[in-house]
């Protein structure tokens, strides 16, 4: 039987940060992915609503989901093999 790692539906409001969104909604999926589970994050909405910004962001604390996920995967793999 297939085990579901997590299931969530999160709406991100204008006052929530990418950091909060990532840590609550995406980071658990990244951990499950490294452990061999499938997962997906879907961004949808009208044009100019911030989907690309949420994915890529800017440098530093404003980095988006993709750079955060890559950073976490590399950290997890490094810590696993150290």
């Amino acid at each position: 039987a297939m085990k579901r790692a997590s299931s969530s539906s999160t709406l991100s409001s204008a006052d929530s940060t990418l950091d909060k969104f990532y840590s609550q909604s995406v980071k658990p999926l990244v951990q499950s992915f490294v452990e061999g589970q499938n997962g997906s994050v879907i961004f949808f909405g009208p044009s100019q609503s911030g989907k690309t910004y949420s994915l890529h962001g800017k440098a530093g604390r404003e980095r988006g989901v993709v750079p955060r996920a890559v950073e976490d995967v590399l950290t997890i793999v490094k810590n696993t093999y150290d």
Side-chain angles (χ1 to χ4, degrees):
M2 185 183 293
K3 180 181 166 189
R4 180 171 279 210
S6 71
S7 176
S8 69
S9 176
T10 304
L11 295 176
S12 182
S13 65
D15 61 346
S16 69
T17 63
L18 279 173
D19 187 48
K20 182 177 177 183
F21 170 74
Y22 180 80
S23 64
Q24 290 180 347
S25 301
V26 181
K27 190 168 186 147
L29 293 175
V30 171
Q31 180 65 43
S32 295
F33 167 76
V34 173
E35 295 169 356
Q37 298 294 315
N38 292 325
S40 61
V41 178
I42 300 170
F43 290 86
F44 65 94
S47 295
Q48 303 296 314
S49 63
K51 298 177 299 289
T52 301
Y53 178 79
S54 295
L55 283 172
H56 301 289
K58 295 181 180 180
R61 283 188 54 87
E62 292 186 47
R63 65 197 185 285
V65 169
V66 172
R68 290 170 194 267
V70 169
E71 183 179 283
D72 280 348
V73 167
L74 294 175
T75 299
I76 292 167
V77 170
K78 179 180 183 284
N79 291 338
T80 300
Y81 294 104
D82 273 350

